[in-house]
Amino acid sequence: MCDLEYLFVNFQCSSSVGFQAPIKRIIQFSPPLYRQRYNFVKNLVDQHKPKKVADLGCGNALLIQTLKCHSCIELLVGVDINKDKIGSQRCGLSPFFGEYLSPREMNLSIILYHGSAVERDSRLLGFDLITCIELVEHLEPRDLANFPQVVFGYLSPAMIVISTPNSEFNPLFPVVTLRDSDHKFEWNRKQFQTWASDVANLYNYSVEFTGVGEPPAGAGNVGYCTQIGVFRKIGAKATESCIAGQHDEYVYKMVYSISYPSLQQKEVRKYALVNEVSRQVQRLRRGYVVSLKILQDDTSERLSDSGLISFSGPVFTELEKTNIEKSPKPFSLGNKFYVPLERLFAYPKVNRLCDNVDTMRALIADTMKLTRDGSAVKVELYDD
């Protein structure tokens, strides 16, 4: 099924001869064309798992915002020549509160630079993926001539994605020559593929052509609305020593930088562990109190797991269930409720955050009440 919606609008003109203007067809893409371009890049990231990604001509950084959720990415960089536009939506780039409670496994830094895609800056060397989404058509002839030298020759990432309008699609739009007043040109498929193939051959890349934005049925062989070239470096990726040997060139001006919480950071790991341990302890305590009430009312037999009520919650694998059941069980003495650390460590969300029980004890000792021998967490059995 085509991913376009078509709206038909009648433009009528009343006259003595009853003339009616021809029907104009307005094409609306669903999802919107910009979102299809971003989804194309997103799927490419899912497939190839790059660690360092840069978007040249990033505009308001919406593509950066789309990609930040990928756990494989450790560095996201955006570059744009329009200082007022760059990062205008950057509030969406900051970590949310939930990302401190459930942090990423690996570090993530996001940096936005004010600068031109045809300027050399050594901070963009050694990247796995560089995207140029709807960029090249905005370049003046001189800049377009320099673009391959900088991006393919100097930066030389493992992969490059370039998207640009397909001028063969334009007649399907009502009254359009160039799609944007800032466009310096728009290529047809042959022009783009010739340029891209020449650049790929010159700088030792392969290139494959595709696109997004399918034409309507019966529109003829006009191709995609947006044409895309995916370039892959032939041969080994540049080594760190080769990159380090290049002369530093810092041309771009940093306008925004943020680092995300991750489990690689000791304080973040500690915060996440304390939060998860507290959550598990309170969940077990509530279940224990309810089970005591049921048993006291003599309305239920003792259940598995030392009389703890089983509540709907996370689904465990059989192996995880076995590990939990084999671990020491929670218990109460007087008005105190105790959860052995070995029991807590058996829960997947806890052992993901620490290597062993000793590490867990060291990380939570100054925040949570432990027994004298440090073998269990101790809390009040009943709420105040």
Side-chain angles (χ1 to χ4, degrees), residues 42-340:
K42 183 176 181 293
N43 292 337
L44 208 63
V45 169
D46 283 334
Q47 181 181 355
H48 294 280
K49 310 296 183 187
K51 292 183 178 181
K52 299 171 68 175
V53 179
D55 182 29
L56 304 184
C58 67
N60 55 15
L62 283 179
L63 178 56
I64 302 288
Q65 190 172 334
T66 300
L67 297 179
K68 71 171 189 168
C69 62
H70 289 266
S71 59
C72 61
I73 298 179
E74 298 179 28
L75 176 60
L76 269 173
V77 171
V79 180
D80 202 278
I81 199 169
N82 188 330
K83 190 174 182 180
D84 294 329
K85 188 175 183 180
I86 184 172
S88 58
Q89 303 293 325
R90 60 191 183 191
C91 59
L93 300 178
S94 300
F96 299 115
F97 179 70
E99 288 169 301
Y100 288 90
L101 297 179
S102 181
R104 298 165 51 94
E105 182 69 35
M106 304 304 296
N107 290 324
L108 170 65
S109 295
I110 299 177
I111 304 173
L112 301 181
Y113 292 113
H114 175 226
S116 169
V118 296
E119 294 178 310
R120 298 185 177 203
D121 193 298
S122 58
R123 288 171 290 188
L124 265 67
L125 292 171
F127 274 60
D128 303 298
L129 171 64
I130 289 182
T131 60
C132 306
I133 306 302
E134 306 299 279
L135 168 67
V136 294
E137 64 272 12
H138 292 272
L139 299 178
E140 297 285 355
R142 182 176 178 180
D143 289 336
L144 181 63
N146 290 332
F147 176 82
Q149 300 172 21
V150 174
V151 177
F152 290 83
Y154 176 70
L155 298 180
S156 192
M159 186 180 298
I160 300 169
V161 175
I162 296 178
S163 79
T164 191
N166 170 21
S167 64
E168 296 171 68
F169 200 100
N170 289 356
L172 299 181
F173 294 118
V175 192
V176 62
T177 51
L178 296 178
R179 300 184 195 176
D180 189 283
S181 59
D182 189 57
H183 287 184
K184 307 305 184 289
F185 61 89
E186 289 177 0
W187 281 325
N188 60 34
R189 284 175 290 175
K190 182 178 180 181
Q191 289 170 321
F192 175 56
Q193 291 177 17
T194 299
W195 175 86
S197 297
D198 289 344
V199 169
N201 290 333
L202 182 60
Y203 293 100
N204 201 32
Y205 279 82
S206 65
V207 60
E208 296 178 3
F209 299 102
T210 183
V212 294
E214 294 184 357
N221 186 27
V222 298
Y224 292 106
C225 186
T226 293
Q227 49 188 335
I228 298 174
V230 180
F231 302 79
R232 293 179 175 85
K233 188 74 174 175
I234 299 173
K237 181 183 173 183
T239 62
E240 294 295 330
S241 59
C242 290
I243 294 170
Q246 297 201 42
H247 181 67
D248 287 342
E249 296 182 70
Y250 296 164
V251 177
Y252 299 152
K253 180 180 179 182
M254 184 188 298
V255 295
Y256 178 80
S257 177
I258 189 73
S259 293
Y260 271 61
S262 83
L263 297 182
Q264 305 304 310
Q265 302 157 17
K266 183 177 179 180
E267 287 303 312
V268 172
R269 182 181 289 269
K270 177 180 177 179
Y271 181 82
L273 178 62
V274 168
N275 177 71
E276 184 59 32
V277 167
S278 297
R279 193 180 70 83
Q280 293 290 355
V281 168
Q282 291 305 318
R283 182 182 67 82
L284 292 169
R285 182 192 64 81
R286 287 192 297 269
Y288 192 89
V289 168
V290 171
S291 67
L292 286 179
K293 185 177 186 305
I294 292 175
L295 291 172
Q296 288 169 359
D297 292 341
D298 197 27
T299 58
S300 175
E301 297 180 358
R302 289 183 175 272
L303 303 177
S304 61
D305 198 17
S306 186
L308 295 184
I309 286 288
S310 176
F311 291 95
S312 60
V315 177
F316 300 115
T317 66
E318 290 302 318
L319 178 60
E320 289 168 347
K321 288 179 183 178
T322 300
N323 290 337
I324 292 171
E325 290 168 0
K326 288 168 56 179
S327 64
K329 294 175 172 51
F331 59 94
S332 65
L333 290 174
N335 289 328
K336 302 297 181 181
F337 180 66
Y338 300 85
V339 183

